[in-house]
């Protein structure tokens, strides 16, 4: 019997009895190049603080990832599924989940060896494979969204350059906006690191490769909501952009460049969230908010870029995405309206609608929408 077959049998036994010590004893003297076999050696050695050998095995596991065999019927090393000798495939996580676990362990091993830059690098790769979540607009060809904006050089730059700027979630106005800001705070990390858990700090830093941009679903009631204009459009002195975003933003194809992007509806709920956890998934990290914000109908563009270390990142609109309309706040100065109108009239070769938000003296807590006349 090959050592790989012995590993598969031992792993099958471990799946049923969950005895890791016994599992390790069965595989420690085997010789094979399956990425999961090498991962489990490294996992046990890291747990026992044998960091030198753990590093060797996790690096070998990462190298073995490059030759994954995607044939589910294969009985060779690095096949996408493991089997038992009786011929039944073991119930395993998806291949992305398995790869993510390998990179997570690599991040932890290097953190335990006090090699922070390598630890962050591997945690960032771990996040990349955890990020392929299903978009909430998977079946749509496009989606219309609203972006409430202050009037300043940065927001004008987006219009001039036909771009959408994304930024770290810590730049949001609400400190409770993204759970990751609380989980990765110095206060919370110091509590989590009360034991020997060096990896948590570098894991927290790896989330810096993520950027977000907040939109709202296009609805007339959202446009007329005075809170949205007060909170996000300079106390009604700013403006709101209606975008149509294409499949490019909804279903970004996988690449080998460690880049990803998807649109996610915010999940609003009043539930207890305990941050005393050693790792955090991206849904909890970026796509949950308290129910008191439900009126916003927020849709979040979540962007992952392994190599981008800038605070802000500009994402060009593709040829099938566009600005559909501009709405000026009821207190937006005439000169600001004229500036935006002039920029768009010169920059864009298709018709964009312009509107004024007006006070309704017959219904004081409501806003009216009227055509803008330049």
């Amino acid at each position: 019997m090959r050592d790989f077959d012995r590993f598969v049998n031992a792993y099958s036994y471990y799946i049923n009895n969950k005895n890791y010590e016994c599992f390790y004893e069965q595989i420690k003297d085997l010789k094979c190049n399956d990425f999961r076999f090498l991962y489990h050696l490294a996992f046990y050695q890291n747990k026992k603080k044998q960091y030198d050998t753990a590093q060797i095995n996790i690096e070998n596991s990462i190298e073995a990832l490059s030759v994954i065999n995607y044939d589910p019927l294969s009985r060779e090393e690095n096949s996408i599924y493991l089997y038992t000798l009786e011929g039944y495939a073991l119930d395993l996580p998806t291949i992305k989940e398995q790869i993510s676990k390998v990179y997570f362990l690599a991040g932890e091993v290097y953190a335990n060896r006090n090699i922070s830059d390598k630890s962050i690098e591997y945690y960032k790769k771990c996040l990349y494979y955890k990020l392929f979540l299903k978009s909430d607009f998977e079946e749509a060809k496009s989606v219309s969204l609203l972006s409430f904006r202050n009037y300043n050089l940065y927001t004008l730059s987006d219009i001039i350059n036909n771009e959408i700027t994304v930024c770290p979630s810590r730049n949001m106005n609400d400190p409770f906006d993204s759970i990751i800001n609380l989980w990765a705070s110095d206060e919370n990390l110091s509590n989590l690191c009360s034991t020997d858990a060096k990896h948590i700090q570098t894991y927290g830093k790896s989330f810096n490769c993520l950027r977000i941009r907040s939109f709202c679903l296009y609805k007339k009631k959202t446009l007329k909501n005075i809170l949205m204009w007060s909170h996000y459009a300079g106390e009604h002195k700013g403006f709101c952009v209606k975008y149509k975003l294409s499949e490019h933003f909804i279903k970004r194809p996988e690449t080998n460049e460690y880049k990803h992007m998807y649109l996610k509806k915010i999940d609003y709920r009043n539930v207890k969230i305990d941050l005393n956890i050693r790792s955090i998934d991206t849904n909890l990290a970026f796509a949950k908010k308290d129910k008191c914000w439900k009126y916003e109908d927020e849709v979040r563009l979540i962007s992952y870029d392994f190599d981008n270390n800038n605070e802000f990142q500009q994402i060009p609109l593709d040829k099938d995405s566009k600005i559909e309309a501009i709405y000026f706040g009821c207190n937006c100065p005439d000169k600001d309206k004229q500036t935006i109108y002039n920029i768009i009239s010169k920059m864009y070769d298709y018709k964009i609608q312009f509107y004024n938000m007006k006070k309704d003296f017959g219904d004081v807590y409501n806003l009216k929408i009227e055509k803008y006349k330049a």
Side-chain angles (χ1 to χ4, degrees):
M1 182 185 295
R2 299 177 304 167
D3 278 0
F4 177 61
D5 297 324
R6 292 187 177 92
F7 163 65
V8 173
N9 275 355
Y11 188 69
S12 176
Y13 181 74
Y14 163 67
I15 291 291
N16 290 322
N17 65 32
K18 305 300 181 186
N19 186 329
Y20 208 89
E21 294 283 344
C22 178
F23 173 50
Y24 180 75
E25 286 298 316
Q26 289 178 293
I27 69 171
K28 66 179 182 179
D29 296 322
L30 301 180
K31 303 291 182 185
C32 71
N33 196 43
D34 184 84
F35 76 92
R36 288 151 298 202
F37 166 76
L38 296 162
Y39 163 84
H40 284 290
L41 290 182
F43 181 89
Y44 183 87
Q45 291 155 354
N46 182 63
K47 185 177 178 182
K48 296 298 182 180
K49 301 184 179 181
Q50 300 167 10
Y51 301 136
D52 289 346
T53 51
Q55 179 186 333
I56 293 170
N57 281 311
I58 199 61
E59 287 288 358
N60 288 338
S61 177
I62 290 169
E63 184 178 350
L65 290 176
S66 64
V67 291
I68 290 177
N69 180 350
Y70 286 88
D71 178 5
L73 301 178
S74 174
R75 299 170 68 88
E76 303 302 319
E77 294 174 352
N78 298 307
S79 57
I80 192 170
Y81 296 117
L82 288 179
Y83 58 87
T84 67
L85 289 189
E86 290 75 26
Y88 297 98
L90 294 175
D91 185 16
L92 292 172
T94 66
I95 194 66
K96 287 188 177 69
E97 290 171 331
Q98 294 180 63
I99 294 172
S100 178
K101 287 175 66 175
V102 171
Y103 282 123
F104 185 90
L105 179 59
E108 185 171 339
V109 169
Y110 274 99
N112 286 329
R113 296 208 64 217
N114 297 312
I115 307 175
S116 297
D117 56 341
K118 291 290 287 185
S119 176
I120 293 172
E121 174 190 338
Y122 283 128
Y123 277 136
K124 286 165 72 172
K125 290 182 177 180
C126 161
L127 285 177
Y128 174 76
Y129 286 100
K130 289 181 75 172
L131 270 175
F132 282 96
L133 306 175
K134 186 175 182 180
S135 167
D136 290 324
F137 301 90
E138 198 74 19
E139 303 303 319
K141 294 294 184 183
S142 65
V143 59
S144 291
L145 302 173
L146 298 173
S147 180
F148 290 86
R149 311 294 281 158
N150 290 309
Y151 181 92
N152 56 44
L153 289 176
Y154 299 107
T155 55
L156 290 180
S157 175
D158 269 7
I159 294 174
I160 292 169
N161 297 312
N162 200 29
E163 296 171 335
I164 288 175
T165 299
V166 292
C167 66
S169 60
R170 63 177 178 272
N171 290 9
M172 308 303 283
N173 64 324
D174 176 14
F176 299 94
D177 191 306
S178 294
I179 299 298
I180 186 58
N181 299 328
L182 300 172
W183 183 85
S185 68
D186 290 342
E187 180 182 4
N188 193 55
L189 285 177
S190 63
N191 292 332
L192 293 176
C193 294
S194 58
T195 58
D196 185 17
K198 299 176 184 178
H199 69 285
I200 290 179
Q201 292 189 16
T202 51
Y203 183 53
K205 290 178 182 177
S206 69
F207 282 87
N208 291 336
C209 62
L210 287 149
R211 305 283 184 276
I212 66 173
R213 172 72 174 267
S214 292
F215 299 91
C216 300
L217 281 173
Y218 170 67
K219 295 179 181 178
K220 286 285 181 68
K221 70 174 184 179
T222 307
L223 266 173
K224 294 181 176 183
N225 190 311
I226 58 175
L227 282 177
M228 298 302 297
W229 288 96
S230 295
H231 290 164
Y232 304 113
E235 299 169 342
H236 298 258
K237 299 183 187 73
F239 60 101
C240 179
V241 183
K242 180 186 175 187
Y243 287 100
K244 184 181 93 169
L245 297 184
S246 73
E247 288 181 290
H248 173 74
F249 290 88
I250 297 171
K251 291 177 277 192
R252 188 81 177 258
E254 297 182 34
T255 69
N256 295 322
E257 300 175 349
Y258 290 104
K259 294 182 181 180
H260 190 42
M261 184 169 63
Y262 62 99
L263 285 170
K264 199 76 179 168
K265 290 180 182 178
I266 293 296
D267 179 17
Y268 300 98
R269 57 180 64 191
N270 287 337
V271 296
K272 179 180 177 181
I273 296 177
D274 185 356
L275 296 181
N276 293 306
I277 49 179
R278 291 299 177 91
S279 67
I280 187 169
D281 65 51
T282 49
N283 263 331
L284 176 58
F286 293 101
K288 290 194 187 300
K289 290 177 73 169
D290 190 87
K291 203 170 185 178
C292 66
W293 298 101
K294 187 174 176 60
Y295 68 91
E296 293 183 346
D297 277 328
E298 184 178 349
V299 174
R300 187 160 284 181
L301 176 65
I302 303 175
S303 171
Y304 175 98
D305 191 333
F306 183 88
D307 294 319
N308 192 311
N309 295 313
N310 297 324
E311 187 80 355
F312 298 94
Q313 179 185 2
Q314 287 73 39
I315 302 174
L317 291 180
D318 66 300
K319 63 181 179 62
D320 297 317
S321 298
K322 65 179 182 178
I323 295 173
E324 292 187 312
I326 301 287
Y327 301 84
F328 297 118
C330 63
N331 290 331
C332 184
D334 288 339
K335 63 181 180 61
D336 294 347
K337 295 179 186 179
Q338 193 65 47
T339 298
I340 293 173
Y341 180 84
N342 289 341
I343 289 171
I344 286 180
S345 298
K346 292 177 182 177
M347 298 294 302
Y348 294 86
D349 59 2
Y350 62 89
K351 188 172 183 180
I352 294 174
Q353 301 294 324
F354 291 86
Y355 300 92
N356 280 323
M357 305 304 298
K358 305 290 287 187
K359 297 168 187 172
D360 186 348
F361 292 101
D363 184 359
V364 72
Y365 295 124
N366 190 31
L367 290 169
K368 296 189 295 185
I369 303 174
E370 296 181 354
K371 279 278 189 179
Y372 169 74
K373 296 179 181 178

